[in-house]
């Protein structure tokens, strides 16, 4: 009969609770250890951890220990060394030896000795049984050894000393051996916030409830940026310490079955909580420490039993079978009554009559869970494997002063398992609706066999395809709408511009009208000639479009005579005329009933526009080649009485003639090419032939 020692690791101090459980294994061909030099050891069915006595301190002199390990037939064993530090140079007195097989038929695999050895590769056996032998003689130094083993199918086996900082990957998966609570390394942090990168990965996995210390298992780790503070908690016999800011942290991927089951939130009614007994003691307005108070984080009195003995229990009815993966407990949370349960057993049932005690895998003993170490702080324990039951009972085995408890169960709903249906070709076909048969009394009616033929939709690819097609279709539709709107807008602008002006839109603004005064006269004359081609912009009625080119107006220049432009026949812009109501002085046609003071009325059959006036500024006779009939008394126009045309001055130059032109040697004015018209000057000389 073999045996193995399981060591639970708890906090240190005056109130420390360290649970050491001796498990007796009844199978002959399982695992065994013997000798006086064996250190903390866990020999699991497919993995385990073993070390020398006193590790990580110096091992004692003159000791020996042998471990016999057996795994299922067809499998082999490989070893991974975390540390190997044995004082000896010739491996005669102090050494570690591995054998294939057990008993007298074993054969040596390898033998190690020396200080600070590094064994990086996995040492593999050739059979499913292995013997590990450690011998120590007289020595002065050396920490001994610490190693892990597993079956060869777990090629990514790591040791209990490997830390999160040893793995640079953002995500990785490794296999943790059983028995990592034998490590003395500390961890910092908790779930779900994460663990500091300096924490041993496998020890943190036991604390998080991802793997069992008795069995080990595979972990999936995710690394991320560190946090400023790491919380200290006690869970699964592992006590984590608080920590400060670190560069990175790691967390574990789980199956997601870790939600609360309704005690704290009120989903579990008071009638679903019961107990073996209730303590009645008045505290303020409350006098009963009833089971309804056994809700985690609920203010008030907890549940407390009337007697403090091993027959007490607290029961939770979940109303239906659920998967329970963990439990969190606390004490009374009352400073005046510092009661708490420090250890307990768990029983579960589906009918409330037949009860089963919870045990770990490959164990024949009920598991004792570590409870609280004070009345205030929470302690978490995970069920690996999980419990599937409706009823759960907590049986306190150790307590402080009096049994008092608050709790919360963690888990999830059990998914309905599809029942496979076997097709029966000889199954009787039911009769048609028209056939009537008498009822069969005394027979049990079986429930109808209803199959769910609806297959779950494969939404993965559909969602991805929709995520691509929806934006593309939206962009195409938007572009199509914009194209139609732009085409309609351009067409509307084109239609609206056909009946108004031949000039661009910017030419029709008041700004352009003011700027035309500063442009050369020929440009203005040409532009104004074209402007008269369109009328009716103000909605005065349909007026036929008349195109008048600059050549329609004769521009013969007699020596010393200039031509007045199209605007010279109208009065300059000196303000609104009472008899002329059109706001545009130049673009609107002249009313037939109102005649401008500076324009001669047009004959009924004559031209639409007034004839330009040609003035002989030098009082010379008109040339015979002139196309205009000048009056013979042009000079009298300038000299009679006060001047009829006033000089125009620039606003920036006071008293200076703005439109006067320099005279040549004979006193005759020479019109420049860019001058539109010459404003007559005041004549101080009397014309010839007049006194």
């Amino acid at each position: 009969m073999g045996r193995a020692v399981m060591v639970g690791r708890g906090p240190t101090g005056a109130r420390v609770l360290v649970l050491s459980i001796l498990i007796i294994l009844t199978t002959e061909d399982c695992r065994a250890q013997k000798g006086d030099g064996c250190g903390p050891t866990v020999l699991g069915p497919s993995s385990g951890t073993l070390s020398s006595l006193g590790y990580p301190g110096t091992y004692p002199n003159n000791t020996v220990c042998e471990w016999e390990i057996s795994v299922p037939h067809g499998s082999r064993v490989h070893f991974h060394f975390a540390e190997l530090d044995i004082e000896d140079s010739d491996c005669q007195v102090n050494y570690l030896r591995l054998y294939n097989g057990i008993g007298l038929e074993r054969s040596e695999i390898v033998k190690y000795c020396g200080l600070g050895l590094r064994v990086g590769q996995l040492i593999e056996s050739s059979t499913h049984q292995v013997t590990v032998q450690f011998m120590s003689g007289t020595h002065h130094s050396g920490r001994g050894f610490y190693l892990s083993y597993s079956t060869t199918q777990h090629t990514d086996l790591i040791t209990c000393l490997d830390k999160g900082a040893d793995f640079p990957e953002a995500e990785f998966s490794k296999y943790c051996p059983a028995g990592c609570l034998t490590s003395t390394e500390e961890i910092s942090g908790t779930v779900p916030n994460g663990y500091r990168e300096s924490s041993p990965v496998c020890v943190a996995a036991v604390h998080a409830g991802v793997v069992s210390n008795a069995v080990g298992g595979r972990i999936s780790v995710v690394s991320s940026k560190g946090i400023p503070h790491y919380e200290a908690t006690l869970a699964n016999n592992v006590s984590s310490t608080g920590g400060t800011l670190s560069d990175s942290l790691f967390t574990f991927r789980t199956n997601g079955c870790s939600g609360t089951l309704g005690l704290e939130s009120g989903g579990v009614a008071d009638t679903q909580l019961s107990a073996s007994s209730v303590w009645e003691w008045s505290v303020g307005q409350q006098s009963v420490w009833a089971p309804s108070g056994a809700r985690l984080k609920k203010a008030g009195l907890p549940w407390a039993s009337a007697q403090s003995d091993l027959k007490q229990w607290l029961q939770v009815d979940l109303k239906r079978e659920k998967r329970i993966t963990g439990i969190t407990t606390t004490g009374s949370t009352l400073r005046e009554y510092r009661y708490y349960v420090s250890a307990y057993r768990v029983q579960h049932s589906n009918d409330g009559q037949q009860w089963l005690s919870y045990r770990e895998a490959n164990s024949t003993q009920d598991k004792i869970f570590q409870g609280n170490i004070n009345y205030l702080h929470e302690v978490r324990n995970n069920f690996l494997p999980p419990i599937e039951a409706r009823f759960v009972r907590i049986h306190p085995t150790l307590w402080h002063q009096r049994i008092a408890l608050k709790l919360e169960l963690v888990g999830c709903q059990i998914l309905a398992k599809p029942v496979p249906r076997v097709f029966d070709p000889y199954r009787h076909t039911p009769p048609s609706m028209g056939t009537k048969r008498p009822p069969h009394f005394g027979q049990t009616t079986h429930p109808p066999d209803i199959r769910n033929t609806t297959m779950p939709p494969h939404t993965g690819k559909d969602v991805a395809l929709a995520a691509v097609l929806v934006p593309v279709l939206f962009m195409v539709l938007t572009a199509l709408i914009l194209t139609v709107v732009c085409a309609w807008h351009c067409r509307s602008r084109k239609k609206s511009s056909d009946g108004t002006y031949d000039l661009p839109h910017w030419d029709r603004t008041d700004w352009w009208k003011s700027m035309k005064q500063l442009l050369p006269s020929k440009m203005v004359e040409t532009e104004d000639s074209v402007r008269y081609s369109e009328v009716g912009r103000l909605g005065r009625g349909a007026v036929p479009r008349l195109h008048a080119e600059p050549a329609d107006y004769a521009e013969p220049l007699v020596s010393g005579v200039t031509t007045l432009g199209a605007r010279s026949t109208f009065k300059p812009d000196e303000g609104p005329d009472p008899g002329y109501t059109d706001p545009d002085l130049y673009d609107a046609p002249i009313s037939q009933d109102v005649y401008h003071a500076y324009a001669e009325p047009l004959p009924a059959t004559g031209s639409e526009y007034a004839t330009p006036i040609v003035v002989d500024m030098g009082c010379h006779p008109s040339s015979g080649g002139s196309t205009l009939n000048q009056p013979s008394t042009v000079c009298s126009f300038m000299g009679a009485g006060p001047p009829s045309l006033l000089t125009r001055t620039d606003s920036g130059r006071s008293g200076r003639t703005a439109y006067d032109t320099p005279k040549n040697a004979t006193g005759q004015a020479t019109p420049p090419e860019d001058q539109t018209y010459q404003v007559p000057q005041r004549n101080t000389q009397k014309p010839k032939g007049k006194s």
Side-chain angles (χ1 to χ4, degrees):
M1 181 171 60
R3 61 180 182 176
V5 178
M6 289 187 59
V7 178
R9 200 178 64 173
T12 57
R15 298 180 179 179
V16 173
L17 176 63
V18 179
L19 300 179
S20 298
I21 306 172
L22 182 64
I23 300 179
I24 306 299
L25 302 176
T26 58
T27 55
E28 290 261 343
D29 58 346
C30 193
R31 298 150 303 274
Q33 65 178 17
K34 54 186 178 182
D36 56 354
C38 303
T41 301
V42 173
L43 305 178
S46 59
S47 65
T49 302
L50 48 153
S51 63
S52 57
L53 184 62
Y55 180 86
T58 303
Y59 53 93
N61 294 327
N62 304 317
T63 58
V64 61
C65 183
E66 285 189 359
W67 296 267
E68 295 179 350
I69 302 171
S70 297
V71 296
H73 288 275
S75 300
R76 290 175 297 172
V77 182
H78 58 188
F79 297 90
H80 194 172
F81 283 89
E83 187 170 2
L84 186 59
D85 189 51
I86 301 174
E87 179 186 336
D88 206 328
S89 57
D90 53 4
C91 295
Q92 296 297 323
V93 179
N94 299 281
Y95 60 85
L96 178 69
R97 182 179 294 177
L98 304 180
Y99 295 92
N100 278 319
I102 59 176
L104 299 177
E105 298 179 355
R106 63 189 184 187
S107 59
E108 181 178 313
I109 302 175
V110 66
K111 187 177 183 181
Y112 290 110
C113 66
L115 297 175
L117 294 180
R118 297 292 181 183
V119 182
Q121 72 277 11
L122 297 177
I123 308 301
E124 186 174 331
S125 70
S126 58
T127 64
H128 72 285
Q129 292 182 325
V130 178
T131 301
V132 179
Q133 183 184 65
F134 174 68
M135 297 288 294
S136 68
T138 303
H139 63 281
H140 301 86
S141 62
R143 292 159 55 94
F145 73 95
Y146 190 66
L147 63 82
S148 301
Y149 75 89
S150 72
T151 57
T152 53
Q153 65 184 23
H154 304 301
T155 57
D156 52 355
L157 171 70
I158 60 176
T159 70
C160 300
L161 301 184
D162 291 330
K163 299 178 173 57
D166 298 332
F167 305 98
E169 301 91 345
E171 295 187 20
F172 60 91
S173 177
K174 299 295 179 181
Y175 186 84
C176 287
C180 280
L181 293 191
T182 58
S183 169
T184 58
E185 297 291 328
E186 291 185 347
I187 64 170
S188 180
T190 186
V191 290
N193 298 329
Y195 297 87
R196 190 183 177 95
E197 79 275 8
S198 59
S199 304
V201 176
C202 292
V203 179
V206 175
H207 181 273
V210 178
V211 297
S212 169
N213 180 66
V215 180
R218 180 163 301 280
I219 59 173
S220 295
V221 184
V222 179
S223 300
S224 59
K225 186 178 180 180
I227 57 178
H229 177 71
Y230 295 90
E231 184 181 357
T233 59
L234 176 60
N236 298 310
N237 292 1
V238 182
S239 184
S240 68
T241 61
T244 56
L245 177 66
S246 65
D247 294 334
S248 63
L249 59 81
F250 62 89
T251 56
F252 301 93
R253 293 187 182 275
T254 63
N255 56 8
C257 188
S258 57
T260 58
L261 295 183
L263 277 82
E264 179 183 348
S265 63
V268 175
D270 292 345
T271 56
Q272 298 174 234
L273 300 174
S274 57
S276 56
S277 62
V278 175
W279 187 38
E280 297 183 4
W281 181 263
S282 298
V283 178
Q285 297 180 354
Q286 294 180 327
S287 60
V288 179
W289 299 51
S292 59
R295 300 176 184 271
L296 192 68
K297 298 181 181 178
K298 178 184 177 181
L301 298 178
W303 167 73
S305 60
Q307 298 84 24
S308 294
D309 54 36
L310 297 177
K311 297 180 180 180
Q312 306 303 315
W313 48 264
L314 175 66
Q315 177 178 303
V316 180
D317 180 8
L318 299 176
K319 290 298 184 181
R320 66 178 61 182
E321 185 177 347
K322 295 184 179 181
R323 179 176 288 109
I324 307 167
T325 59
I327 181 175
T328 303
T329 61
T330 186
S332 65
T333 67
L334 300 175
R335 181 176 300 179
E336 299 82 3
Y337 304 93
R338 302 189 177 188
Y339 309 145
Y340 59 89
V341 174
S342 56
Y344 57 88
R345 295 185 299 111
V346 175
Q347 288 186 325
H348 54 89
S349 172
N350 287 326
D351 56 5
Q353 302 296 325
Q354 302 293 327
W355 295 90
L356 298 175
S357 296
Y358 182 81
R359 299 178 180 179
E360 287 187 316
N362 304 306
S363 175
T364 59
Q365 301 294 324
D366 297 346
K367 181 174 181 178
I368 304 299
F369 293 90
Q370 179 173 351
N372 298 92
I373 59 176
N374 56 48
Y375 71 97
L376 183 61
H377 296 101
E378 300 175 3
V379 174
R380 172 175 49 84
N381 283 283
N382 291 89
F383 302 129
L384 295 171
I387 297 173
E388 293 187 357
R390 171 182 171 178
F391 299 91
V392 177
R393 277 187 180 181
I394 311 300
H395 290 265
T397 57
L398 292 175
W399 53 88
H400 177 74
Q401 295 184 3
R402 175 177 289 275
I403 296 175
L405 182 65
K406 292 182 180 182
L407 62 88
E408 176 64 273
L409 297 176
V410 178
C412 59
Q413 302 287 344
I414 299 178
L415 298 178
K417 299 179 181 179
V419 179
R421 183 188 178 199
V422 180
F423 176 73
D424 185 7
Y426 301 100
R427 185 176 180 179
H428 179 67
T429 303
S432 61
M433 296 297 297
T435 305
K436 296 183 179 180
R437 292 194 178 186
H440 297 274
F441 299 100
Q443 296 183 0
T444 303
T445 303
H446 297 281
D449 186 7
I450 301 176
R451 291 183 297 170
N452 184 8
T453 58
T454 304
M455 297 299 294
H458 300 280
T459 59
K461 295 183 179 179
D462 295 341
V463 171
L465 183 61
V468 176
L469 290 181
V470 170
V472 173
L473 293 177
F474 177 76
M475 293 176 64
V476 171
L477 184 60
T478 304
L480 182 60
I481 294 175
L482 290 177
T483 303
V484 173
V485 172
C486 291
W488 177 81
H489 182 68
C490 293
R491 186 176 180 181
S492 300
R493 289 190 58 185
K494 183 177 181 182
K495 288 182 178 180
S496 62
S497 63
D498 288 344
T500 54
Y501 289 96
D502 291 333
L503 297 177
H505 174 72
W506 54 269
D507 191 23
R508 299 184 232 129
T509 61
D510 295 337
W511 174 83
W512 173 244
K513 291 179 181 179
S514 62
M515 290 297 295
K516 287 188 295 185
Q517 303 296 334
L518 304 178
L519 297 178
S521 60
K522 288 186 178 182
M523 293 180 60
V524 176
E525 181 180 359
T526 304
E527 182 268 344
D528 287 336
S529 300
V530 177
R531 181 179 296 277
Y532 284 112
S533 63
E534 294 293 338
V535 294
R537 177 173 62 89
L538 299 177
R540 297 186 179 184
V543 179
R545 182 182 302 177
L546 299 176
H547 295 277
E549 303 295 337
D552 292 344
Y553 299 95
E555 300 183 23
L557 290 178
V558 187
S559 176
V561 180
T562 185
T563 301
L564 293 177
R567 298 187 182 187
S568 63
T569 61
F570 295 91
K571 183 180 179 179
D573 187 8
E574 296 180 356
D577 194 313
Y580 193 65
T581 60
D582 195 305
D584 196 335
L585 299 179
Y586 300 103
D587 292 345
I590 299 175
S591 174
Q592 296 179 1
D593 299 331
V594 181
Y595 297 104
H596 200 279
Y598 292 88
E600 297 180 3
L602 298 176
T605 59
S607 174
E608 182 182 357
Y609 299 97
T611 305
I613 301 173
V614 181
V615 180
D616 188 355
M617 303 302 296
C619 298
H620 296 287
S622 301
S623 173
S626 176
T627 61
L628 299 174
N629 296 325
Q630 302 289 346
S632 60
T633 61
V634 173
C635 294
S636 65
F637 174 77
M638 297 177 57
S644 60
L645 295 176
L646 299 179
T647 59
R648 187 173 181 178
T649 60
D650 186 17
S651 62
R653 299 180 182 180
S654 174
R656 183 177 179 180
T657 301
Y659 298 96
D660 194 10
T661 58
K663 307 299 187 296
N664 54 16
T666 62
Q668 181 178 356
T670 304
E673 295 180 358
D674 58 350
Q675 187 70 30
T676 305
Y677 56 87
Q678 176 78 25
V679 179
Q681 306 296 320
R682 185 186 299 271
N683 190 2
T684 58
Q685 296 180 1
K686 294 181 179 180
K688 293 180 182 183
K690 292 188 185 269
S691 58

